[in-house]
Amino acid sequence: MGLDNAVAIVTGGAQGIGHAAAVRLAQRGARLVIADRSGAAAAAQALREQGFEAVAVEMDVAVPAQVEAMAGQAEAHFGRIDVLVNNAGIYSSLRPQPFEQLTMEDWRQVLDVNVIGTFLACKAVLPAFKRAGGGRIVNISSGVAFKGNPWMAHYVASKGAVISLTRALATELGTHGVLVNSVAPGFTLSDGALANPALVEGVKGPSLRGRVLARDMMPADLVGAIEFFAGAQSAFITGQTLVVDGGAYFH
């Protein structure tokens, strides 16, 4: 399974890591569905202006009906679905705080998007994958799931759940030719992070000090790993998580 003419859905694909991944997959020949709460139309239009095939779906991954509609629109437009990149998530808008100060609402908001949203998207594309005889799911998790970073217990727990879901789905869906893997970034200077100076100020310094490659991590640093799991070279790999963080955590 190469990427030429493959149909790839990227959730949270209008900006940051998701948009960088969408551009890379398009450059490798994929046809893109940009799914996001806002900005999807502009992102898809920008890809079309570069000569790529792309459509937009404005949706919220935490709303089941909208996720189902996303998969339906993708298959109706392109005739199939081959790749799902589960990138949509909550992180850059969060305020670090001690565990005992987190509320049930804080937890629900993060889990609804980061975990339930991933579950809903995987479930929505599975019928199309089965009809096509296979597919690829690339879940964006995080290196914090291995390091147990403080002050964001709800986010850390959500990304740990994504890694466990990756393993469970890989086991269950392998008989259908569906490969499920995860990419775990370190702290990345995405559009969302840069819009939160307090987050950058609190996290950037410790992240740089903890890396073997002591430089800022950008969305472009992740796209190679995402492309690898979406493409032909990973055809016998499933259930794995690849940490991409400049050598901050050895896994």
Side-chain angles (χ1 to χ4, degrees):
M1 174 183 164
L3 288 174
D4 284 345
N5 294 316
V7 177
I9 298 174
V10 181
T11 67
Q15 64 175 346
I17 292 170
H19 185 61
V23 171
R24 172 61 69 87
L25 296 179
Q27 290 171 340
R28 296 298 183 262
R31 297 173 287 171
L32 268 296
V33 177
I34 306 296
D36 213 319
R37 291 181 62 184
S38 62
Q45 177 62 29
L47 284 173
R48 290 195 294 271
E49 290 173 356
Q50 297 175 60
F52 304 122
E53 288 190 66
V55 297
V57 178
E58 301 280 344
M59 52 79 73
D60 185 334
V61 294
V63 180
Q66 294 184 19
V67 179
E68 288 286 344
M70 171 196 72
Q73 289 175 251
E75 194 171 18
H77 186 89
F78 288 117
R80 60 186 294 128
I81 303 172
D82 301 293
V83 178
L84 168 66
V85 179
N86 276 312
N87 168 75
I90 294 178
Y91 171 66
S92 59
S93 61
L94 298 178
R95 178 175 59 87
Q97 54 186 317
F99 171 75
E100 63 268 25
Q101 293 180 13
L102 291 170
T103 66
M104 186 178 295
E105 289 70 28
D106 293 330
W107 278 82
R108 281 179 172 161
Q109 180 190 35
V110 171
L111 295 179
D112 278 351
V113 175
N114 294 4
V115 183
I116 302 301
T118 298
F119 152 72
L120 290 173
C122 291
K123 186 176 180 180
V125 302
L126 185 55
F129 281 177
K130 288 183 176 179
R131 284 190 287 271
R136 304 293 175 86
I137 296 174
V138 184
N139 294 324
I140 306 303
S141 54
S142 173
V144 301
F146 300 107
K147 295 186 289 185
N149 295 33
W151 313 114
M152 280 193 170
H154 51 343
Y155 176 75
V156 175
S158 75
K159 290 305 185 178
V162 169
I163 291 171
S164 292
L165 177 61
T166 297
R167 294 168 177 166
L169 286 182
T171 302
E172 186 169 340
L173 302 183
T175 56
H176 301 290
V178 179
L179 307 184
V180 189
N181 292 289
S182 168
V183 175
F187 179 65
T188 306
L189 291 181
S190 63
D191 297 334
L194 291 171
N196 186 346
L199 179 68
V200 174
E201 181 179 355
V203 179
K204 177 178 175 179
S207 295
L208 286 174
R209 290 192 293 272
R211 292 174 183 162
V212 173
L213 306 178
R215 65 164 176 81
D216 288 330
M217 181 172 175
M218 309 302 291
D221 292 314
L222 286 164
V223 297
I226 296 169
E227 177 194 350
F228 172 70
F229 282 136
Q233 291 182 320
S234 60
F236 203 59
I237 301 174
T238 194
Q240 304 304 309
T241 295
L242 177 59
V243 179
V244 182
D245 67 357
Y249 179 81
F250 297 150
H251 166 64

